[in-house]
Structure formats: structure tokens, C-alpha cells
Amino acid sequence: MTGKNGPPPIHVRGLRKVFRQTTTGQAVVAIDRLDLTIAPKEVIAIVGQTGCGKSTFFDLMIGLEEPTEGSIMVGDKSPSSDFDYFRGKMATVFQQDRLLPWRSALDNAKLPLELIGLPEEEQRERALTWLNKLGLGAFTNAYPHELSGGMRQRVAIARAFSVQPDIMLADEAFGHLDEVTAAELRDTFLALARECGSTAILITHQLEEAIAVGDRIAVFGKSAKLLADIHVAQWDARDYGTLREAIQLTLQTQQADARLARG
Amino acid sequence: MPPKEHAESVPVLTFPRQTLVSLLVFAVCWEALSYLAPYLGIPPFAIPSLARIAKAITTITPVDIAVTLARVIAALIASFVLGLALAMAMYRSDTLEKYLHPMIRILMAVPVVSWILFAVLWFPGVEFRIGFVLVVVCGPVFLVDTLDAMRSVPRELRSMMRSFRPTSIQFFIKLMLPAIVPTIFTSWKVNISLAIRVVTIAELVGAVTGIGHQLSVAQELFSVADVFAWTVVLVALLFLLEAIVARVEHRLLRWRA
């Protein structure tokens, strides 16, 4: 993996994740033999219904979970086995802002920079730069409880971009915001990801969001099976309605198949 | 939305009017009872007048207050460091937690008087005895409180922090410690009150300095005024320490405003 030459490609091969339920001990397959390749600097939206394994894929991507079988390789490194290697190279934005309530906006944005051990002055400068880019220059000393939901999510985005990561992951990062704020933040997020030259992986259950953001859309069915892999650039913007309907149909067909299989 | 201004003044050392009124009512009742004691068949020395208590307060030896205070503060710091270190180790290791938890429960169930007797039987030095009793009583409280607080740190914050790949030390310093600060303060307040009471009992047995020792002397001399004077000092000491902790707490927890 080389930061100088931009982010490396991501190869997901035969990825399988099985959880054991704590109460019943029953095995639950969250991801079943997933194959996916993500090109450097690509913005990919992963879309699918609730419970299809999107969030498990997210946890596996950031290395918080280990695959039961198969692998995720970012260049020649694994996010879980080479966990520390990705410090400062991978960043995340979650559904909730997950800001530390005892830290001001500036100190929250500084957090990843502190972890990679940058000098204090540089931490401050970089965090301020990113807060300014997100329109929070006047609120750097505000605590999270003093900010609105949209502003808090902006701080969370500034925190993630402050390390200028090679890989940026967002898990339903705009889903809880009102439509106007969400659309605005999505555009900002996309612009910043392109500016940083990061590979961006967005997990979402909203088709509109996936179409609006992704260069590519990976449609996940149950157990994170790849149902469709769509390159949005190949579609004319006027045909987005058709694209939306096609994805919806794919998901509905898979749901019907699953119901039939269950009898 | 502009950030709110944080109030800098702390009302922890001020007395609300209600407190003054209740103290005044208590003082009047006490004085009346002291005056009426002989008529009620109570020996006059048992309920001394406020004037006698005030006179006894003027004879109090500051060195005994300083000794007791030093014992309490030193023992609380030792208990806190020990309790926090063990809590961190137990948080990280389930095995250690499983072995130590029953022991902690047993330690917490042993009465203070038993610890004092054990200390007298086991250790020759007075200071070590008192320190031992205080640490063995206050340490587990710090441990249990901080361990519970660490476990209560929201899973979302823990996974957010881990996603940025901190070292173990960074994880504790940047997330766990700040997250448990409110509980640490509550634990300190509880332990200050506990330590003041325990140190007094420990000093009653064998110590030749400190407030507990002076209480013991006053009791041997049947000087109820002195007993009251030293008790007033103990209560004032407790309030002072609590006020200091509350002030530091207010300063450090500004973000909760």
C-alpha cells in the first residue's frame, strides 16, 4: 500500500462471516462467499435491505471483525490482521456522529491526528482546515451538545477527513438527517473524498443516495450476496429512474426467491 | 447556533438561606435542651451549651487535624491509584476479572471493625495499620465504581475509537478515562465520607495523634464539649473536602453544562 501513489485496490475474495447467537448458539451467516473488487479512488455505494450484511461488511472492512473464511485485502494488507498498519490510512463516518461529548468540535476533529502522533500545532491547523471546509469555522470551541445534528455530523466528517485517508468508509452516514441536510452533506462528502483522492465506500439502504453518490453501486442481497454490480457512469442521468426501478426489482426478486426457498 | 457561555462561578462553597435557617433552628434547640437538661434528669455535662462547645473548639490542636487529613488524603490517593489500576487490568482481562471479582466481594463484606482488629494483630506500626484499613475499605469502592463505569462506556464510542486504531494506552487515555471521570468524582465523594468515618475509628484504636485519638481522650475525661468540638471539626473537614472535589468536578465537567 502506498500513500504517495494513491490508495491501493481492494480485493474481497470468498468472504464469509458467520456469527453464533449467544442465547441459542445457532450459527447465522451474515456474509456468504462475497467477491468484490474496488478500484483505487472509486466511490462505491453498497445498497441492500436491512439485515443483508451491509454493516457486517463495514465492520470487516475497517478490521473490527475478522472473516470466518475468505479475505479482504487492501493492496497486500488485511484490515484485521494488519490492524495497526491502517492507522491514519482508513477513516470512518458512522450513522450517529459518535463525537466524544467532553471534547469541543476542534478537539473531536483532532482525535485521529493525535492517534497518529502529529505535532500539536499541526494537529490544530489540520483540524481547523477541515472544520472550515465543512463550514464550522465559527463553532470550533462548541461542545457536541451545543451543535445541531447536521453540524455534529459535519464534525464527524471533518474528523474522518482530517487524516486524509486512503480509504473512507461511511455507514448510513446521512440516513438520519433531513433530506435537505443529507443531500448537502452527501455532496460535501463526495467533493472532499475526490479532493483527498480517497477510495470511498458508502453503505446505505437508500437507492437515491446510492445513485446520487456512487460511481458504482453494489447491490447486496441476503447474506451479502452480490446481486448486481452497476457502473453508474454508464447510465445517462435521464435514465436514473429506470436504474432505480431495476435495482428495486432485483431486490424484490431476491426477497421473493428467499421466501419461496423458506417454503 | 452560537455556543452557550459556561458559568464560571460555582455555588459549592455558598450556604443557601434554607441551610442557615436549619442550622440556626438546630442550634436554638440544642441550647434550649442544654438549659433544660438538669430539669429533665440529664447530667449537665452530657449536653454542653454552645458557649462551652465554642470554648472547646478554641482549644483544638491543629496538628491533630493535619495528621488526620494527611492520613485520609494519602490513603484515598493510594486507594484510587490501586483501584483504578486493578479496574483497568480487570477490564482488559476477563480471566483476571473472574478470579478477582469474588475476592473483592469478600473484602467489601468484611466489617470495618474486623479490619481494624486484623490490622492491630498483623501490623506493628500505627501509620501502616491506619493506612491499611483505609485502603482496604476505600480501594474496592474505587475499583468497583470505575470498572462498572468502564463497562458502561457506549459500544458505539468504543467501536468509533477502535476504527481509528489507537494503541491500548491511547484507547484508555483518550476514551476510557475521560468517559469515566463523572463516576470517578462520585466515587471520590462517597469515599471521602467513608474515609473520614473509618479513619476516626482506626485512630481510636492505638493511635497517639489525630482526631480519633483526641476523641478517645475526650471520652476518657468525660468531656462531652470536647467530643462535640472534635465532631464539629470532622464534619467541617468532610464538607471542605467535598467542596474541593465538587469545585474540581465542576471545572473538569464543563462539557456537561
Side-chain angles (χ1 to χ4, degrees), chain A residues 102-103, chain B residues 171-182 253 255:
Chain A
W102 55 87
R103 281 178 170 244
Chain B
F171 186 79
F172 267 100
I173 291 175
K174 309 275 182 196
L175 175 69
M176 300 307 276
L177 275 182
I180 66 169
V181 163
L253 302 182
W255 56 271

Side-chain angles (χ1 to χ4, degrees), chain A residues 62-64 79 83 86-87 90-92 94 98-103 111-112 114-115 139 142-143 145-147 151 159, chain B residues 1-6 155-157 159-167 170-171 174-176 178-179 254-257:
Chain A
I62 56 178
L64 293 186
F83 193 78
F86 289 95
R87 186 176 301 132
M90 202 182 261
T92 45
F94 297 89
R98 301 195 187 187
L99 298 180
L100 300 179
W102 55 87
R103 281 178 170 244
L111 178 70
E114 290 172 15
L115 301 182
F139 302 96
Y143 285 104
H145 76 271
E146 296 170 325
L147 300 170
M151 289 164 103
R159 176 179 64 189
Chain B
M1 194 173 87
K4 288 174 200 160
E5 288 294 320
H6 293 290
R155 190 176 170 274
E156 289 77 20
L157 289 188
S159 60
M160 178 280 294
M161 194 68 186
R162 274 209 293 271
S163 77
F164 288 110
R165 295 164 158 76
T167 60
Q170 285 174 330
F171 186 79
K174 309 275 182 196
L175 175 69
M176 300 307 276
R254 285 193 306 267
W255 56 271
R256 289 206 304 190

Side-chain angles (χ1 to χ4, degrees), chain A residues 152-179:
Chain A
R152 285 201 298 271
Q153 197 64 338
R154 279 174 188 277
V155 178
I157 293 173
R159 176 179 64 189
F161 276 110
S162 68
V163 284
Q164 292 173 280
D166 285 341
I167 317 283
M168 170 64 80
L169 293 114
D171 185 11
E172 310 270 12
F174 318 108
H176 66 295
L177 301 168
D178 67 84
E179 248 176 73

